[in-house]
Amino acid sequence: MLFETKSPKETFKLAKNIASKLVGGEIIILEGELGAGKTTFTKGIAKALGIDEEVTSPTFVLMKEYEGRLKLYHFDLYRIENQDELEELGFSDYMYDKNGVCIIEWNKFKDFPVAPLYVKIDRIDDNSRSFNIK
Ligand code: ADP
Ligand code: MG
């Protein structure tokens, strides 16, 4: 499905719609260049899950965990070289939490316990983004 948002606020609205359908166990892979809006979208999901804590980019810690209606595991794997490194960290385990949702920026996982939802974000102009969700 293809969506277009014309502001970060509209991206929050789109994220809210998607968040309302989450029941736990989902894996969402966010694709798109730096500045596309992957973290902004994640903030929208977090807000809709009732997470009050501020969501910040987990670039240096690789994963941050938040508590809401469901748990949110927010990954940014930009700094991971390969999947072996991920396995050593035991990060796959989070994908098996049926009360949690994994959102992954710069995905490096190859195997998933369930089919991930892919959200491809493209910058159209300063304030517009397209979201291709599969
Ligand atoms: P990424 O995580 O993909 O690198 P960020 O979410 O950190 O991207 O940054 C996206 C930037 O683009 C933010 O500064 C945000 O305010 C801005 N932006 C402008 N328009 C939009 C939009 N429609 N949706 C999401 N972000 C937008
Ligand atoms: Mg980001």
Side-chain angles (χ1 to χ4, degrees):
M1 277 201 285
L2 193 61
F3 300 92
E4 189 181 324
T5 70
K6 296 190 185 309
S7 64
K9 203 173 164 186
E10 280 189 23
T11 293
F12 263 58
K13 238 187 259 169
L14 174 64
K16 189 178 172 182
N17 267 320
I18 292 164
S20 70
K21 300 189 177 84
L22 299 173
V23 297
E26 289 91 353
I27 299 166
I28 301 174
I29 295 182
L30 302 182
E31 300 175 320
E33 291 171 7
L34 195 70
K38 301 181 293 297
T39 300
T40 303
F41 180 82
T42 306
K43 286 177 197 240
I45 295 274
K47 191 175 173 217
L49 290 177
I51 293 162
D52 295 326
E53 199 184 332
E54 200 201 341
V55 171
T56 54
S57 211
T59 312
F60 293 96
V61 291
L62 304 173
M63 195 280 293
K64 280 188 194 163
E65 185 177 332
Y66 302 90
E67 196 95 40
R69 174 172 75 77
L70 298 166
K71 277 203 169 173
L72 171 63
Y73 302 109
H74 181 206
F75 292 84
D76 183 329
L77 303 180
Y78 188 79
R79 297 161 69 84
I80 291 283
E81 298 279 337
N82 57 51
Q83 211 201 3
D84 293 346
E85 223 179 312
L86 270 182
E87 271 163 20
E88 280 164 32
L89 291 165
F91 272 0
S92 307
D93 298 352
Y94 295 105
M95 296 196 282
Y96 291 86
D97 183 354
K98 288 290 165 206
N99 298 308
V101 174
C102 288
I103 300 190
I104 310 170
E105 299 185 36
W106 305 107
N107 176 51
K108 306 283 164 68
F109 289 109
K110 288 203 183 80
D111 303 312
F112 304 96
V114 295
L117 187 73
Y118 287 89
V119 179
K120 169 92 170 67
I121 311 173
D122 282 299
R123 183 186 180 282
I124 298 169
D125 60 32
D126 278 1
N127 295 308
S128 300
R129 303 289 187 269
S130 71
F131 289 78
N132 197 345
I133 303 179
K134 288 191 212 175

